[in-house]
Amino acid sequence: LNVNNPHFLIMQGRITKVLNMKPAEILGMVEEAAGTRMYENKKATAIKTIDKKQMKVDEINSILSEEITPTLERLRGEKQQYLKWSKNNADIERIERFVVASEYVQAQEVLSKNSEDVAKMEEEVAMYEDTMRTAREEVAAK
């Protein structure tokens, strides 16, 4: 059969052969005559390509679910732990600064109190020295 001929004809003597063909064979002959067989080949090639691409997608999804997702979850957990640690560390530093400031204020108060006590003691010493000088003068005068 010459399907490329625009005047496609079934030759005499072959008509019985065509009439005796199975439906699938007749369909093949009509597809060939209509020129759609070429598109079937392209369709089959495209389906093979799609299947190969789908296998790659499935492989990538498998790798993603088996390796990347668990690693990502582990890293997210580590991130949460780090953020918690960082917050706690900042709180500790802030509280340490408050403790140092409180100790400084207490030390200043103790220093101020001691300074007042020293001033009182110096006044008492001066008063006792005056009393001793006065007593020595009285003793020396007698």
Side-chain angles (χ1 to χ4, degrees):
L1 297 175
N2 185 3
V3 293
N4 293 328
N5 185 355
H7 304 290
F8 179 73
L9 298 173
I10 298 174
M11 299 302 232
Q12 188 175 6
R14 293 204 178 211
I15 192 75
T16 39
K17 184 178 178 184
V18 172
L19 291 175
N20 291 332
M21 285 182 172
K22 295 179 182 171
E25 294 172 337
I26 293 173
L27 178 62
M29 185 177 71
V30 171
E31 286 176 347
E32 199 172 313
T36 59
R37 174 72 47 114
M38 159 177 68
Y39 297 110
E40 289 295 324
N41 291 338
K42 288 183 180 180
K43 179 181 173 185
T45 305
I47 288 174
K48 285 181 185 177
T49 304
I50 289 172
D51 288 342
K52 286 180 184 177
K53 299 296 181 185
Q54 186 60 44
M55 286 174 44
K56 282 288 189 184
V57 167
D58 293 343
E59 181 182 338
I60 289 171
N61 284 336
S62 172
I63 291 171
L64 184 66
S65 66
E66 293 173 2
E67 296 176 14
I68 295 174
T69 302
T71 303
L72 187 60
E73 291 301 320
R74 181 181 53 82
L75 290 175
R76 283 183 180 146
E78 288 178 6
K79 176 186 171 189
Q80 290 299 324
Q81 289 176 349
Y82 171 75
L83 291 175
K84 188 175 181 180
W85 175 84
S86 178
K87 180 186 174 291
N88 290 341
N89 198 30
D91 288 345
I92 288 171
E93 288 178 4
R94 183 177 50 83
I95 290 170
E96 285 176 348
R97 285 195 300 270
F98 280 130
V99 167
V100 168
S102 174
E103 289 173 352
Y104 176 77
V105 168
Q106 288 175 352
Q108 288 288 58
E109 289 174 356
V110 167
L111 179 65
S112 174
K113 182 180 177 211
N114 288 343
S115 295
E116 291 172 5
D117 289 345
V118 167
K120 285 181 186 177
M121 287 183 186
E122 286 177 351
E123 287 177 15
E124 288 178 12
V125 167
M127 183 180 76
Y128 289 134
E129 285 177 353
D130 284 343
T131 305
M132 276 183 29
R133 196 174 345 119
T134 309
R136 282 187 187 159
E137 289 176 1
E138 287 178 7
V139 168
K142 289 189 182 181

